Amino acid sequence: MSTDADARLVWSAIAEPADREAGWLAARLGHAEALAWLRAAMRDPVGATVALADEPARVDKVLASLGRWTPRLDAARPDDLRERAARVGARIVVPGEAGWPLELDDLGEGAPHALWVRGEADLAAAWTRSVAVVGSRASTAYGEHVAAEVAAVAAERGIAVVSGGAYGIDAAAHRGALAAGGTTVAVLAGGVDRLYPAGNAALLARVIASGAVVSEQPPGFAPHRQRFLSRNRLIGAARVTVVVEAARRSGALSTAEHAITLRRTLAAVPGPVTSAASAGCHWAVRDRGATLLSAPADLLELVLPLGDALDEEPDGASGGGGPEFRTREERQAYGAIPRRGAPADAIAIAAGLTAKEAREALGGLARRGLARLDAGRWTRTDDVRTP
């Protein structure tokens, strides 16, 4: 690795995520020179200010930060950090190297210095075509079902699903992407050697096997509360963020705010007006301009380049050259049947229909050979007969 890459590893170990002073100093001098400045400032703080004298207000803040960084410096040797990564099968990705997600550069002074990764997913490709699916840990069955469906719809179209690996909506999103055979990335609040929460360790091991778990800090760092909030900015750098279920004061809304700041598309799933678990979603639509996601398939219009969502729709979904539908409900139900099939209640939610409307529509599709029920799951069929 280059000297700059070595310095990036050190900064990822001595500075907390989203440390604006560390980010400013590195952006101003480069990571290697910033590290040299830090060592000089430890010996002569007054003399070190000369190089940055044109911005005295920022220099004062940087000097005040020395007490945060210097206690970790002796333990942050690049070779030792690489050895830690090697022991848990992790790789390191830094800007300028293959696999670095350029979307993270939009974070400016808050961009990570490096990424520590377990799993073989191409992070550059993942973030370029990605959806963040986030929500409350205290989720409802409705929220988990919708999160899994949104993730599955995305994964089936080659869209990477980014989330935080937590209980509730995060876990449902990762499971939905895995079930569809897609790529999913979990951004952790601690080192990648600590698959946290422990109850999701088996799930995160599956994420590693087919996607990646990522941290901006080296192995050995614990998932502290502030680090959960800091890592949300990486998740919010996805192309689209979907808030599935969130209370008004949910931490998931911090991800939504990062998405807004980064000028990313924000969407939210509606819930019952009586449900506190959906209050944050309704607020995002009403007060923050989030797009209301009325069905999981609506996501494709937000993520895919203009025209691709329609070009990739299943036969008949766009109304040309495929089966003809007798009702609007039949068209919606048909378009919501995933490739792997789904129960009627799942199709109802995905299509934005009531359970009764979905059952009637699916029955009509079945009578004309457009869909069939097998072991409780509805699938499409190519046996298209004239009504």
Side-chain angles (χ1 to χ4, degrees), residues 296-356:
D298 292 349
L299 169 73
L300 301 178
E301 298 179 9
L302 303 178
V303 181
L304 298 177
L306 186 62
D308 281 10
L310 292 177
D311 292 343
E312 296 187 20
E313 283 181 345
D315 289 344
S318 62
E324 294 187 6
F325 303 102
R326 289 178 170 176
T327 65
R328 173 183 62 83
E329 289 79 10
E330 283 191 1
R331 179 182 297 280
Q332 288 178 230
Y334 185 86
I337 300 173
R339 295 176 186 175
R340 69 194 184 286
D345 59 349
I347 293 170
I349 293 173
L353 300 173
T354 67
K356 181 175 182 293

Side-chain angles (χ1 to χ4, degrees), residues 10 16 29 36 39 43 55 90 158 179 193 209 216 218 223 252 267-268 274 338:
V10 174
E16 282 294 299
L29 302 178
R39 296 186 189 280
R43 298 188 300 269
E55 295 192 53
D193 57 325
E216 57 186 306
T274 54

Side-chain angles (χ1 to χ4, degrees), residues 81-91 219:
L81 295 173
R82 289 195 200 95
E83 184 180 347
R84 278 196 226 171
R87 282 200 299 266
V88 296
R91 58 194 170 94

